[in-house]
Amino acid sequence: MAEARGWMCVTRPDFTVVRANDADRVLLTAPPRDPAALTAELLTLLREWGTHQLCLEDPYLVLDLSEQGCEAALAMPVMVRDASPLGPDVGVTSGVPVTAGGQAGRPEVSAEEALAEPQLAEVERVVVDGFPIATRQPWRRGGQFPAEYSHLPGRRSWLARVDGRPAAACVTWDDGAAVGFYWVATLPDQRSRGAAATLMRAALAAHPDRVATLTATLLGEPLYRRLGFSERGLSRWWRHTGTPAQPRW
C-alpha cells in the first residue's frame, strides 16, 4: 500500500518502516534476537526522518518505547484460522452474494465482493464511519483507500448489506500463502444484525485453501472464534502523536 501511495518504505530483516503522511508506521516482522539493539536501530532511523507522529506494531511484545514518550494500547490477540471449508451451505465467487435471514421478522443480510466503484466507495465509507476513524472524518472518497488500492494484486474488498443498506465491510489481502483480514467494521446502527458474520463467511468462502489471519478487537473476537479462528499471540501498538511532549529520539 505504501508503494501505491508513493510513500518511502524501508524493509529490514526484523521490521518494515513506512513514511506515511499522517504518521510513520513500523511493523516488526520477526522476533528480534536483541530488542535493545533493534530499538536503537529504529530510533536512529526515526531520528533521521524527523519523525514526530509514530505508530509501531509489536506482535512479539518485546519493545518498550515509554521512555521515548510513546503510549501503548492494550495488547490485542493475533488470530489464525487454518484452511478449511465453512460448510456446503456457504459459497461465494466474485460478485455473487452470500445471503442470510430474510424470513418474517428477520432482516435480510447479504455480502459480496465489492468490484465496481460505487461498492468500493461504500466499503471505504463503512470502514471510516464504522470504527470510526477520527482522522478521516468527515468521510471523503479516497482518504482511507485510494483508487490505486483496488488494483493491487491479492487485495479484495467486501461489503455486507442489511435489507439492502450498507452495513459492514472489510478488505482482504492474499499473498499466496495466507489471507489477511483488515478493517472489519460495522456501522453502529447495524450492529448485532448478522452483517459482520455474513461478511466474514463470504470472504472466507472465497479463500477456502488459505490460512486466514487477523488482529482482533474486543468486540470482534467472539465472532472470530465462532468462525474457527484461534489466538496465536498478542500484538501491541505504540503511538506517539508528537504533542505535547516531543519524542526523545
Side-chain angles (χ1 to χ4, degrees):
M1 291 193 295
E3 293 175 358
R5 285 184 179 256
W7 290 340
M8 183 185 300
C9 183
V10 174
T11 300
R12 303 277 171 80
D14 293 341
F15 63 84
T16 293
V17 182
V18 173
R19 189 165 197 180
N21 288 342
D22 51 353
D24 293 341
R25 314 291 180 88
V26 181
L27 171 64
L28 301 195
T29 54
R33 285 176 287 184
D34 187 340
L38 175 61
T39 300
E41 183 179 4
L42 286 170
L43 295 182
T44 297
L45 178 59
L46 296 174
R47 189 179 300 115
E48 292 174 355
W49 284 9
T51 296
H52 290 291
Q53 297 192 51
L54 173 70
C55 176
L56 182 147
E57 182 181 352
D58 174 9
Y60 309 104
L61 305 182
V62 294
L63 298 187
D64 184 351
L65 300 181
S66 57
E67 292 187 0
Q68 283 73 40
C70 297
E71 295 182 353
L74 291 175
M76 294 193 292
V78 177
M79 306 188 76
V80 175
R81 183 184 188 276
D82 294 329
S84 62
L86 283 165
D89 59 326
V90 177
V92 66
T93 57
S94 295
V96 179
V98 166
T99 303
Q103 301 175 4
R106 296 179 58 189
E108 181 177 281
V109 185
S110 64
E112 62 185 328
E113 182 179 4
L115 298 173
E117 169 54 28
Q119 293 173 304
L120 294 170
E122 290 289 6
V123 167
E124 182 181 32
R125 183 183 69 82
V126 171
V127 167
V128 170
D129 292 343
F131 263 87
I133 304 175
T135 57
R136 303 299 185 198
Q137 301 288 339
W139 169 76
R140 63 177 180 81
R141 182 68 177 109
Q144 180 69 14
F145 300 142
E148 295 85 354
Y149 279 15
S150 62
H151 304 301
L152 294 174
R155 186 185 191 277
R156 302 170 75 174
S157 301
W158 302 88
L159 180 66
R161 300 179 185 274
V162 174
D163 291 335
R165 298 174 54 195
C170 72
V171 297
T172 58
W173 200 303
D174 185 347
D175 69 355
V179 58
F181 282 73
Y182 303 92
W183 298 109
V184 182
T186 304
L187 293 175
D189 63 347
Q190 298 293 343
R191 290 173 184 162
S192 300
R193 305 186 74 188
T198 304
L199 177 83
M200 291 291 299
R201 291 175 71 84
L204 286 168
H207 301 88
D209 58 344
R210 290 283 189 262
V211 171
T213 69
L214 54 80
T215 303
T217 63
L218 290 175
L219 287 177
E221 184 178 355
L223 167 62
Y224 304 140
R225 291 191 184 278
R226 290 197 299 272
L227 292 171
F229 286 83
S230 61
E231 182 179 317
R232 304 293 176 88
L234 294 173
S235 189
R236 174 170 289 135
W237 271 258
W238 290 91
R239 298 183 184 275
H240 196 290
T241 63
T243 57
Q246 293 301 310
R248 302 170 185 172
W249 315 138

